[in-house]
Structures are given as C-alpha cells and as structure tokens.
Amino acid sequence: MLIIFGHILNKGEQKPFQRVIDVSSGDPHRAGMPPLSFARQVLAVCLYPKLLKESSFPVDVRQRAEKLLGACNGGSVGSYSASSCGIPQIQKSVAEFITKRDGGVASDPEDIIFSSGSQRTLKLVLHLLSSGQGPTQTGVLTPLPCPHTLPILLDEVGVKLVPYRLLEERGWTLELEELHRALKAARRHCEPRAIYISNPGNPTGHVQDLKTIEEVIRFAASERLVLLVEEVYQDSVFGQDKKFLSYKKVLFEMGASYSERVEMVSFHSISAGTMGECGLRGGYMEVINMDLLVKNFLTSMQGPCSPPVLPQLALEIMVNPPSPGDASYEVFTQKVETLTQNAQRACEFLNGVPGMSCQQAMGLYPCLHLPAEIIQERSGLRADVLYCKKFLEEEGVCLGPGSENGHDDENYHIRLCISAPAAVLEDVLKRLQSFHLRIQDRHH
C-alpha cells in the first residue's frame, strides 16, 4: 500500500510528520520492531564461525550455531543443502516440532519441503493444481477476507478464486453452510479442486475451534478437495479462551477414513508471528497423503538448486526457540510479552474510538463506521482506500484497506499490524483516533 500511495510523498511538500510509519502488513522490522537477538546472534555466528570463540555471545547462542553448522555440508552456510528438499537435520527438527505441537501425531521429515517463503511453497502447489479454462478451470475456495497477497497469486497461476465469506457478526467464523453455497455456485463457472484455510485467520485473527476444523475436513473429504492450510500465525494466539489446533492434529484424530485419504498441505513461515524475519524469505510445507510422484514433482519444481541455507537455519531457530533456563530465554520472552500487550492495548483502544470496532488478534482488522459523505465521495476510490490515503497524507501512517483482502461489501475495514515497538504503536493509535474523529466531525 505504501508503494501504491508513494506519489503522495514525492511532491516535495511540507508534511506534518517527520517519517512514514508502515503498519499495513506483518513486516515488524519496517515498523521499527527490533529482531529477536537470539536468532540474529546465532545466524551471525553461523555466517562468521570465528565468533564461536567470542565469549560475549551467550553460551546457548554458540551451542546452537555449532549444532547448525554441523548440519551444513562442509560446516559452512555457503554450501548447498544435502538434498533438494533442504538440510535433512533441519527437516528432522521441523518434523519433531510438529510432532510435539500435535501431541504425538507423528510427522515424517520426508514430508517437509523447504522453500523461500510460504508464498513460494503455496505457488508451487497451485501451479500443480492449475489446469483448464472456462468451466474446467481450477477453482480454489478462498475465504473473504483473505491474505492481501492471495488474490494476486491465484490470478498469476491461472486459478479461479471461489469466495466463501467469513461471518464478522460471529467473530469471523467459518460456517459449513457458506462452504456448500460457495461450492454449488462455483461449479457453474469452474472446477473447484481445493479449499484454502487461514488459521489463525489472516487478517482477522480468528482461531478456529475443533468443531469447525472437523466440519471443514469432512467437507473436503466428501467433495474431494485438497486442503491448503496456512498456519503462519500459530504462535500468535491471544485471548485466554483461545487455543491453536492444527488441521493435521485434528485430521489424524478423526480416524483412518480421514487421516489416510484427505490430501492436505500445511504452510508455515519465518516471516510471521514472533519470528518476524520477512526479509530472510524462509518457509516450509508439510504434505500429507500426497502421492510420492506428486511430492517429487513439488520438490523438482523448485529448480535444480536446493533451497537457500540461511532461511533454513532461521526455520530451525523458530521451531526450537530458547527454553526456560537457557541464557537467552528471558530476552526471547520479552518480545512475546510485547506482542501480547500490544494486541490487548490496541484492541481496547480502538474499541473505545467512536465509529470503530475490532476483535483482539495479532493483526487487527477493525471495522470502520464511516459517514455517508465519505462513502459517496466521487474520488474513484473505495471508501476504505480513500480513508487510508487521507490518513497517510495527514498523519504519515500507512494502513492497509480491507478491499485488498477481498472485502467488497458495505462494511469497510482497515488492516493494522501490531508487531511494532509499544511506543510506536501507541503513537499510531493516537494519530488514528485523532484522524478518525476529524473525519467524523468534517461530515457532521
């Protein structure tokens, strides 16, 4: 969004702000959030192994770096991975993380495929599914609102977006009746072959419960749809009554009639959540019940070279963060606490602003109750886009309009990432409150 509105900032005009704060997407470093020191220190030592002798680094940092270097060919991050899927020892670490997360449901390292980000892995799978034209074109059932990068990606690979709507009035829940409606409507225009799930929801933050997940799995099984499950915010569940359940865990607890035949691909990334290392571009997919030839094809589609090594090391750090008692544990937990406090503070604050309402989550997606004059303003822009444009012009803060997330009904939303230093987020919230009240006053 900052790129789209970039011309606003290039006119040489005096602005009432010194710099632009971009909280339109989950890029915490752009918003000023410092990186996890443990992750950066380990990667620094891996890049320059002489630092293994540097006593100023915590002992757990040097131990982890030594372990990761031992997993690299030649003990160096400059070597290729041992296989086209990635470094075997790190595949094993990810599989162990998944097994522990899912209460003992086994994960096979051979089912783990690394790539340069979850978008890249998703694109590989969509390319495999894509075929046909017109009524035979591949369709993917897609939630609205959805991740703002998803509609562009689907269009790029030639796949039809089949929308199913999440119910805001029920906390952005996914309803089985809506899936059946969307599927029936789609079959007149395309051939649906997969359903895309975002859990916890991006951008809504909604965390699906056991009943919902079971219903979706049964639906996918009965309609022979591949489950594409994006779970990149699984470590960012806020609220005492919420708990993340992976689709894989539920699938395997439903018995062999489902666990042995439902095809599923789950995606995770170092870009989102607590890790927040967007620029390193690392992600993995776990493929479940896929034919061996399909798995081999997905691996071969990455090209003749193995995935980049440094993002794989970051993935290992993500799935094996410092534990209680480790030298780096206390510093690591400080970021988790900051994000939790940010989510609570931002949600409470925005719900106190007249004409706004939102639900607590890692990425906030507040609903705007706008004056009719803004909605009807003849600018050629949707009201949410116009709102974000004016906010950037007047306050120097970049938000994401909900229409980027596929939202096209009469309820207008903005996208706001809370992965920012507490002081920066507080500044953004106060500017947003001031701007929103001015907007309301101008049109009354």
Side-chain angles (χ1 to χ4, degrees), residues 182-232:
L183 185 67
K184 183 178 178 181
R187 282 182 168 153
R188 305 183 198 128
H189 312 289
C190 66
E191 189 173 328
R193 291 183 178 144
I195 175 171
Y196 182 93
I197 300 292
S198 180
N199 182 45
N202 180 3
T204 66
H206 173 71
V207 182
Q208 294 181 13
D209 59 18
L210 176 62
K211 178 177 177 289
T212 300
I213 297 174
E214 288 177 339
E215 287 180 342
V216 172
I217 290 173
R218 291 191 189 100
F219 172 77
S222 64
E223 302 295 344
R224 299 179 64 83
L225 299 173
V226 178
L227 273 169
L228 306 176
V229 188
E230 175 251 283
E231 298 175 323
V232 300

Side-chain angles (χ1 to χ4, degrees), residues 10-61:
N10 293 326
K11 295 178 179 178
E13 300 175 4
Q14 281 294 114
K15 298 292 180 183
F17 47 85
Q18 297 298 313
R19 67 185 184 95
V20 173
I21 303 171
D22 187 355
V23 288
S24 64
S25 61
D27 188 346
H29 299 166
R30 177 180 286 186
M33 180 71 87
L36 284 171
S37 56
F38 178 75
R40 288 297 182 89
Q41 287 172 336
V42 171
L43 294 177
V45 176
C46 288
L47 284 164
Y48 191 61
K50 286 186 177 180
L51 294 176
L52 284 168
K53 300 177 182 179
E54 181 54 64
S55 60
S56 62
F57 282 100
V59 64
D60 57 341
V61 166

Side-chain angles (χ1 to χ4, degrees), residues 206-274:
H206 173 71
V207 182
Q208 294 181 13
D209 59 18
L210 176 62
K211 178 177 177 289
T212 300
I213 297 174
E214 288 177 339
E215 287 180 342
V216 172
I217 290 173
R218 291 191 189 100
F219 172 77
S222 64
E223 302 295 344
R224 299 179 64 83
L225 299 173
V226 178
L227 273 169
L228 306 176
V229 188
E230 175 251 283
E231 298 175 323
V232 300
Y233 285 106
Q234 60 186 264
D235 69 346
S236 305
V237 176
F238 301 118
Q240 294 180 349
D241 59 336
K242 297 179 181 179
K243 180 183 178 182
F244 170 76
L245 290 172
S246 78
Y247 263 72
K248 183 189 174 186
K249 174 180 171 63
V250 177
L251 173 66
F252 277 77
E253 291 176 346
M254 290 175 68
S257 61
Y258 293 99
S259 64
E260 293 180 1
R261 67 187 183 96
V262 174
E263 294 178 305
M264 187 179 82
V265 185
S266 65
F267 305 91
H268 200 2
S269 168
I270 60 174
S271 297
T274 305

Side-chain angles (χ1 to χ4, degrees), residues 283-303:
Y284 73 78
M285 58 181 161
E286 183 182 24
V287 293
I288 308 298
N289 293 327
M290 292 284 183
D291 186 275
L292 181 59
L293 290 175
V294 173
K295 284 203 295 185
N296 291 341
F297 188 68
L298 286 171
T299 303
S300 68
M301 285 178 71
Q302 298 198 80

Side-chain angles (χ1 to χ4, degrees), residues 31-216:
M33 180 71 87
L36 284 171
S37 56
F38 178 75
R40 288 297 182 89
Q41 287 172 336
V42 171
L43 294 177
V45 176
C46 288
L47 284 164
Y48 191 61
K50 286 186 177 180
L51 294 176
L52 284 168
K53 300 177 182 179
E54 181 54 64
S55 60
S56 62
F57 282 100
V59 64
D60 57 341
V61 166
R62 286 176 282 150
Q63 288 173 344
R64 181 67 63 86
E66 190 168 24
K67 175 185 174 183
L68 293 178
L69 285 170
C72 297
N73 279 337
S76 171
V77 299
S79 59
Y80 288 121
S81 300
S83 81
S84 55
C85 290
I87 299 172
Q89 291 93 324
I90 298 181
Q91 285 178 283
K92 184 173 181 289
S93 290
V94 171
E96 289 171 349
F97 156 76
I98 293 171
T99 300
K100 181 179 179 182
R101 179 199 68 188
D102 293 342
V105 176
S107 175
D108 186 347
E110 294 296 318
D111 292 337
I112 308 297
I113 301 175
F114 296 133
S115 187
S116 53
S118 60
Q119 287 290 295
R120 170 66 176 162
T121 51
L122 175 59
K123 188 174 182 179
L124 293 175
V125 176
L126 290 173
H127 265 301
L128 191 60
L129 291 169
S130 178
S131 69
Q133 293 182 338
T136 64
Q137 181 184 12
T138 295
V140 174
L141 273 71
T142 305
L144 292 187
C146 64
H148 68 282
T149 56
L150 185 56
I152 298 171
L153 181 59
L154 292 173
D155 185 63
E156 184 181 334
V157 298
V159 168
K160 184 83 170 176
L161 188 156
V162 176
Y164 65 88
R165 297 190 177 276
L166 306 176
L167 299 186
E168 182 174 11
E169 63 273 18
R170 299 183 188 175
W172 298 113
T173 56
L174 187 163
E175 300 293 329
L176 185 60
E177 294 80 5
E178 172 62 7
L179 291 182
H180 283 293
R181 182 210 62 78
L183 185 67
K184 183 178 178 181
R187 282 182 168 153
R188 305 183 198 128
H189 312 289
C190 66
E191 189 173 328
R193 291 183 178 144
I195 175 171
Y196 182 93
I197 300 292
S198 180
N199 182 45
N202 180 3
T204 66
H206 173 71
V207 182
Q208 294 181 13
D209 59 18
L210 176 62
K211 178 177 177 289
T212 300
I213 297 174
E214 288 177 339
E215 287 180 342
V216 172

Side-chain angles (χ1 to χ4, degrees), residues 16 32 132 279 436:
H436 191 74

